[in-house]
Amino acid sequence: MAIKPDYVKKTGRILLERYPEAFTTDFDQNKESVKKLTNIESKGVRNRIAGYVTRKQ
């Protein structure tokens, strides 16, 4: 199953709006924040969301 870019962007934007203090410009820290704040089990999807959030910072 392919990961839709819209899903990654929408989820990233929602996380940034709700928890702006949880994210920085550090990808590894953002990975942990995404893991804590969501129930996404797929490592690939979590990494894509963390990468998107990192770029938006």
Side-chain angles (χ1 to χ4, degrees), residues 14 46 49-50:
I14 290 171
R46 278 197 315 256
I49 293 170

Side-chain angles (χ1 to χ4, degrees), residues 4-33:
K4 301 286 185 182
D6 288 341
Y7 175 75
V8 171
K9 290 179 182 181
K10 180 181 175 186
T11 306
R13 282 192 302 264
I14 290 171
L15 288 172
L16 279 172
E17 287 173 8
R18 291 186 185 171
Y19 311 102
E21 70 285 345
F23 299 103
T24 66
T25 57
D26 180 38
F27 175 72
D28 291 321
Q29 182 179 347
N30 290 342
K31 278 197 309 189
E32 290 302 315
S33 294

